[in-house]
mmCIF file of all heavy atoms in Angstrom:
data_model
loop_
_atom_site.group_PDB
_atom_site.id
_atom_site.type_symbol
_atom_site.label_atom_id
_atom_site.label_comp_id
_atom_site.label_asym_id
_atom_site.label_seq_id
_atom_site.Cartn_x
_atom_site.Cartn_y
_atom_site.Cartn_z
ATOM 1 N N MET A 255 16.728 -4.573 2.652
ATOM 2 C CA MET A 255 16.851 -4.123 4.044
ATOM 3 C C MET A 255 18.267 -3.629 4.353
ATOM 4 O O MET A 255 18.461 -2.832 5.273
ATOM 5 C CB MET A 255 16.461 -5.251 4.994
ATOM 6 C CG MET A 255 14.980 -5.222 5.395
ATOM 7 S SD MET A 255 13.828 -5.386 4.003
ATOM 8 C CE MET A 255 13.690 -7.165 3.897
ATOM 9 N N ALA A 256 19.254 -4.087 3.579
ATOM 10 C CA ALA A 256 20.627 -3.597 3.818
ATOM 11 C C ALA A 256 20.679 -2.089 3.638
ATOM 12 O O ALA A 256 21.483 -1.414 4.289
ATOM 13 C CB ALA A 256 21.613 -4.284 2.881
ATOM 14 N N ALA A 257 19.838 -1.559 2.759
ATOM 15 C CA ALA A 257 19.804 -0.104 2.571
ATOM 16 C C ALA A 257 19.034 0.583 3.684
ATOM 17 O O ALA A 257 19.485 1.584 4.252
ATOM 18 C CB ALA A 257 19.183 0.237 1.223
ATOM 19 N N SER A 258 17.862 0.024 4.028
ATOM 20 C CA SER A 258 17.012 0.719 4.998
ATOM 21 C C SER A 258 17.620 0.683 6.406
ATOM 22 O O SER A 258 17.709 1.723 7.081
ATOM 23 C CB SER A 258 15.590 0.147 4.999
ATOM 24 O OG SER A 258 15.584 -1.238 5.201
ATOM 25 N N THR A 259 18.043 -0.480 6.863
ATOM 26 C CA THR A 259 18.478 -0.561 8.271
ATOM 27 C C THR A 259 19.804 0.154 8.488
ATOM 28 O O THR A 259 20.066 0.665 9.577
ATOM 29 C CB THR A 259 18.600 -2.017 8.737
ATOM 30 O OG1 THR A 259 19.488 -2.709 7.865
ATOM 31 C CG2 THR A 259 17.255 -2.711 8.744
ATOM 32 N N SER A 260 20.649 0.224 7.465
ATOM 33 C CA SER A 260 21.945 0.892 7.650
ATOM 34 C C SER A 260 21.782 2.404 7.731
ATOM 35 O O SER A 260 22.612 3.084 8.314
ATOM 36 C CB SER A 260 22.894 0.533 6.520
ATOM 37 O OG SER A 260 22.374 0.998 5.284
ATOM 38 N N THR A 261 20.704 2.934 7.151
ATOM 39 C CA THR A 261 20.670 4.382 6.929
ATOM 40 C C THR A 261 19.501 5.088 7.599
ATOM 41 O O THR A 261 19.609 6.248 7.975
ATOM 42 C CB THR A 261 20.657 4.668 5.406
ATOM 43 O OG1 THR A 261 21.693 3.906 4.806
ATOM 44 C CG2 THR A 261 20.869 6.136 5.120
ATOM 45 N N PHE A 262 18.380 4.402 7.746
ATOM 46 C CA PHE A 262 17.220 5.039 8.384
ATOM 47 C C PHE A 262 17.378 4.977 9.893
ATOM 48 O O PHE A 262 16.625 4.321 10.605
ATOM 49 C CB PHE A 262 15.910 4.374 7.934
ATOM 50 C CG PHE A 262 15.613 4.565 6.473
ATOM 51 C CD1 PHE A 262 14.918 3.596 5.757
ATOM 52 C CD2 PHE A 262 16.019 5.710 5.799
ATOM 53 C CE1 PHE A 262 14.624 3.780 4.403
ATOM 54 C CE2 PHE A 262 15.739 5.905 4.445
ATOM 55 C CZ PHE A 262 15.035 4.936 3.755
ATOM 56 N N THR A 263 18.402 5.670 10.392
ATOM 57 C CA THR A 263 18.718 5.623 11.811
ATOM 58 C C THR A 263 18.370 6.949 12.473
ATOM 59 O O THR A 263 18.310 7.990 11.817
ATOM 60 C CB THR A 263 20.225 5.370 12.018
ATOM 61 O OG1 THR A 263 20.943 6.460 11.418
ATOM 62 C CG2 THR A 263 20.669 4.066 11.387
ATOM 63 N N ALA A 264 18.177 6.870 13.786
ATOM 64 C CA ALA A 264 17.904 8.088 14.562
ATOM 65 C C ALA A 264 19.045 9.060 14.390
ATOM 66 O O ALA A 264 18.833 10.273 14.258
ATOM 67 C CB ALA A 264 17.720 7.714 16.033
ATOM 68 N N SER A 265 20.271 8.553 14.351
ATOM 69 C CA SER A 265 21.397 9.486 14.304
ATOM 70 C C SER A 265 21.476 10.203 12.960
ATOM 71 O O SER A 265 21.769 11.402 12.909
ATOM 72 C CB SER A 265 22.692 8.788 14.712
ATOM 73 O OG SER A 265 23.470 8.459 13.613
ATOM 74 N N ASN A 266 21.152 9.517 11.868
ATOM 75 C CA ASN A 266 21.143 10.206 10.572
ATOM 76 C C ASN A 266 20.022 11.245 10.486
ATOM 77 O O ASN A 266 20.205 12.330 9.936
ATOM 78 C CB ASN A 266 20.999 9.204 9.420
ATOM 79 C CG ASN A 266 22.310 8.505 9.109
ATOM 80 O OD1 ASN A 266 23.373 8.961 9.505
ATOM 81 N ND2 ASN A 266 22.233 7.374 8.405
ATOM 82 N N LEU A 267 18.870 10.895 11.056
ATOM 83 C CA LEU A 267 17.750 11.840 11.030
ATOM 84 C C LEU A 267 18.073 13.075 11.888
ATOM 85 O O LEU A 267 17.820 14.215 11.506
ATOM 86 C CB LEU A 267 16.466 11.170 11.529
ATOM 87 C CG LEU A 267 15.230 12.065 11.597
ATOM 88 C CD1 LEU A 267 14.879 12.645 10.232
ATOM 89 C CD2 LEU A 267 14.041 11.282 12.164
ATOM 90 N N LEU A 268 18.660 12.822 13.065
ATOM 91 C CA LEU A 268 19.010 13.932 13.954
ATOM 92 C C LEU A 268 20.095 14.825 13.349
ATOM 93 O O LEU A 268 20.067 16.049 13.497
ATOM 94 C CB LEU A 268 19.485 13.392 15.300
ATOM 95 C CG LEU A 268 18.367 12.986 16.235
ATOM 96 C CD1 LEU A 268 18.911 12.179 17.412
ATOM 97 C CD2 LEU A 268 17.604 14.216 16.737
ATOM 98 N N ASN A 269 21.031 14.207 12.647
ATOM 99 C CA ASN A 269 22.116 14.997 12.063
ATOM 100 C C ASN A 269 21.570 16.060 11.112
ATOM 101 O O ASN A 269 21.993 17.213 11.153
ATOM 102 C CB ASN A 269 23.095 14.068 11.328
ATOM 103 C CG ASN A 269 24.479 14.697 11.188
ATOM 104 O OD1 ASN A 269 24.765 15.747 11.759
ATOM 105 N ND2 ASN A 269 25.331 14.057 10.408
ATOM 106 N N VAL A 270 20.603 15.670 10.275
ATOM 107 C CA VAL A 270 20.117 16.640 9.290
ATOM 108 C C VAL A 270 19.059 17.593 9.840
ATOM 109 O O VAL A 270 18.747 18.593 9.193
ATOM 110 C CB VAL A 270 19.539 15.947 8.017
ATOM 111 C CG1 VAL A 270 20.630 15.167 7.285
ATOM 112 C CG2 VAL A 270 18.356 15.059 8.338
ATOM 113 N N THR A 271 18.508 17.301 10.998
ATOM 114 C CA THR A 271 17.438 18.174 11.491
ATOM 115 C C THR A 271 17.896 19.078 12.643
ATOM 116 O O THR A 271 17.472 20.227 12.723
ATOM 117 C CB THR A 271 16.243 17.338 11.966
ATOM 118 O OG1 THR A 271 16.709 16.293 12.809
ATOM 119 C CG2 THR A 271 15.500 16.743 10.777
ATOM 120 N N LEU A 272 18.725 18.536 13.537
ATOM 121 C CA LEU A 272 19.168 19.332 14.684
ATOM 122 C C LEU A 272 20.683 19.335 14.827
ATOM 123 O O LEU A 272 21.238 20.182 15.516
ATOM 124 C CB LEU A 272 18.559 18.771 15.969
ATOM 125 C CG LEU A 272 17.045 18.792 16.104
ATOM 126 C CD1 LEU A 272 16.603 18.056 17.356
ATOM 127 C CD2 LEU A 272 16.504 20.216 16.116
ATOM 128 N N GLY A 273 21.340 18.396 14.187
ATOM 129 C CA GLY A 273 22.786 18.216 14.396
ATOM 130 C C GLY A 273 23.626 19.063 13.450
ATOM 131 O O GLY A 273 23.162 20.022 12.840
ATOM 132 N N LEU A 274 24.897 18.650 13.341
ATOM 133 C CA LEU A 274 25.875 19.381 12.525
ATOM 134 C C LEU A 274 25.387 19.644 11.103
ATOM 135 O O LEU A 274 25.566 20.725 10.564
ATOM 136 C CB LEU A 274 27.165 18.540 12.417
ATOM 137 C CG LEU A 274 28.200 18.686 13.507
ATOM 138 C CD1 LEU A 274 29.397 17.795 13.185
ATOM 139 C CD2 LEU A 274 28.624 20.152 13.596
ATOM 140 N N ALA A 275 24.761 18.627 10.512
ATOM 141 C CA ALA A 275 24.369 18.746 9.112
ATOM 142 C C ALA A 275 23.143 19.630 8.920
ATOM 143 O O ALA A 275 22.709 19.846 7.793
ATOM 144 C CB ALA A 275 24.116 17.354 8.514
#
Side-chain angles (χ1 to χ4, degrees):
M255 268 60 88
S258 55
T259 56
S260 63
T261 311
F262 294 149
T263 60
S265 102
N266 282 342
L267 178 60
L268 280 168
N269 202 8
V270 297
T271 49
L272 298 173
L274 274 181

